[in-house]
Amino acid sequence: DAGVIQSPRHEVTEMGQEVTLRCKPISGHDYLFWYRQTMMRGLELLIYFNNNVPIDDSGMPEDRFSAKMPNASFSTLKIQPSEPRDSAVYFCASSGDSNYGYTFGSGTRLTVV
Amino acid sequence: SQQGEEDPQALSIQEGENATMNCSYKTSINNLQWYRQNSGRGLVHLILIRSNEREKHSGRLRVTLDTSKKSSSLLITASRAADTASYFCATDQGNSGGSNYKLTFGKGTLLTVNP
């Protein structure tokens, strides 16, 4: 398995633009998580899914953020409109068994100018 | 909010020495996990210890858990330059009955191993 795959690796966009981050979890993992990492706030859980259904989105900062998981092999995190304070590294992770922890993707570094 | 708090924030040692990092948390947990993050990369799962376990080993890693003190430690023995990374503890705030799958991470310890 190629692991959790995220795209793009880097994204630079102008304030006000829509940004879409993509994630392909490990096949067979039925949990998917979106985290954001900044120096100031560390790793924050934004939302997670179980069997494609959103379970907890309490970490989503504002209505500008939305996430979907249309099928077991694909998820998106969308920011519309983007703002400079959204600049961060966004990680997707998946898990199939709580005994073995998460597998993280390589992250998307988002810069909003 | 942060559940785990690692200590120290940064640690610099020489190759061959042991490195110890600590983690404190606030609420009851189902398990506690340690992850490593190399600069510019994603996090890699190292080891998981359940709330009913006190110690666990994996290669050069040794993890202890004291639920009465709500603390854990990660020991890396005979460190190597390749161990240079940030190390995070993460807590699963389920209970002894089961995991809730949702991990809360600390801010990490930056370990530098000098050759």
Side-chain angles (χ1 to χ4, degrees), chain B residues 101-115:
Chain B
Y101 280 89
K102 179 178 167 180
L103 291 182
T104 303
F105 287 81
K107 288 196 171 181
T109 292
L110 176 59
L111 173 66
T112 302
V113 182
N114 302 299

Side-chain angles (χ1 to χ4, degrees), chain A residues 98-101, chain B residues 3 25 28-35 45 47-53 65 90-96 98-103:
Chain A
S98 64
N99 292 318
Y100 298 101
Chain B
Q3 160 77 325
Y25 58 92
S28 62
I29 60 172
N30 174 268
N31 65 72
L32 185 145
Q33 305 177 28
W34 286 90
Y35 288 77
H45 181 257
I47 197 165
L48 179 153
I49 187 165
R50 296 182 183 81
S51 59
N52 61 355
E53 298 176 312
L65 179 64
T91 51
D92 177 331
Q93 293 167 55
N95 53 41
S96 58
S99 166
N100 72 0
Y101 280 89
K102 179 178 167 180
L103 291 182

Side-chain angles (χ1 to χ4, degrees), chain B residues 21-87:
Chain B
M21 289 159 272
N22 302 297
C23 171
S24 60
Y25 58 92
K26 298 174 184 174
T27 65
S28 62
I29 60 172
N30 174 268
N31 65 72
L32 185 145
Q33 305 177 28
W34 286 90
Y35 288 77
R36 184 188 74 231
Q37 184 179 33
N38 290 89
S39 180
R41 309 292 292 272
L43 282 79
V44 175
H45 181 257
L46 296 175
I47 197 165
L48 179 153
I49 187 165
R50 296 182 183 81
S51 59
N52 61 355
E53 298 176 312
R54 292 298 166 257
E55 187 170 314
K56 204 160 183 180
H57 297 256
S58 176
R60 294 184 296 113
L61 304 181
R62 172 177 169 258
V63 169
T64 61
L65 179 64
D66 186 335
T67 53
S68 66
K69 295 181 179 178
K70 292 186 170 56
S71 67
S72 173
S73 67
L74 171 68
L75 169 67
I76 304 174
T77 60
S79 62
R80 306 165 182 168
D83 295 328
T84 294
S86 291
Y87 291 82

Side-chain angles (χ1 to χ4, degrees), chain A residues 9 13-15 20 37 49 51 80-81 84 88 91 98 105 111-112:
Chain A
R9 284 282 280 139
T13 190
E14 291 185 349
M15 183 173 62
T20 300
Q37 185 178 37
F49 296 82
N51 291 322
Q80 164 64 14
F91 288 103
S98 64
T111 303
V112 183

